[in-house]
Amino acid sequence: MDGEITIGTNLSTDKFDKQIAQLEKKMKKEEDKKLVIETKLGSQESDLEQAIKKTDELADAYQRLKKVQDTLASGNATPAQFAEFQDLQATYGSLEQLGANFDKALSKQDALEQKVAQTRYRYDEINTSVSEYQQKIAGIQLQKQVSEVERLKEGFKSVGGVVRPVILGVQHQVAVHR
């Protein structure tokens, strides 16, 4: 006897590794979708921001044109107010045209708000899926570690059954040789 003990353990972690690989593959697909949706969402939010600015501009122009038009109708307009009236009409058209353009811009803004809300909802769904995959992977990794510890315990138990008789035999030989 040369005093060496070899502990053989066969850690079977293939099933855990396969599960993790499958979940990571699914998670990667979701993350790819997330990147596409992030780009789409950014574009939609930019379009919405521009639509809001346009709607605000038209609303402001409508209020100014209406005010100047009322002042002109009362006969108390200054030359500056008359010039403002002409500038507003040249830029935006009549009060009716301006009102129609405002309504169109507001409809466009509403449609874009709905698109952004839908895209954000989809984005949140994907984030939830990715988080669930991460949690599942962490759970499987924990199961894998527990399994490895259990296999090591079993390995030590089997070694313990072999080591005791060997130790007793060595003690017996030592006692006989004394």
Side-chain angles (χ1 to χ4, degrees), residues 82-156:
F82 186 73
E84 182 183 7
F85 174 75
Q86 288 179 327
D87 286 344
L88 287 170
Q89 273 200 323
T91 304
Y92 298 104
S94 70
L95 202 57
E96 293 78 21
Q97 290 171 327
L98 187 54
N101 287 339
F102 173 77
D103 290 340
K104 287 179 188 176
L106 192 58
S107 293
K108 181 179 179 180
Q109 179 182 329
D110 289 342
L112 286 170
E113 285 173 344
Q114 289 177 358
K115 282 183 180 180
V116 167
Q118 289 171 345
T119 304
R120 279 190 184 139
Y121 178 77
R122 182 69 184 123
Y123 181 80
D124 291 343
E125 280 182 324
I126 290 173
N127 275 337
T128 299
S129 293
V130 168
S131 293
E132 288 172 359
Y133 286 131
Q134 289 171 336
Q135 289 174 352
K136 287 178 182 178
I137 289 170
I140 291 170
Q141 287 172 334
L142 182 61
Q143 289 175 355
K144 179 181 173 181
Q145 289 173 346
V146 167
S147 175
E148 289 172 348
V149 168
E150 289 299 319
R151 291 190 188 278
L152 283 173
K153 281 183 184 177
E154 290 300 317
F156 283 123

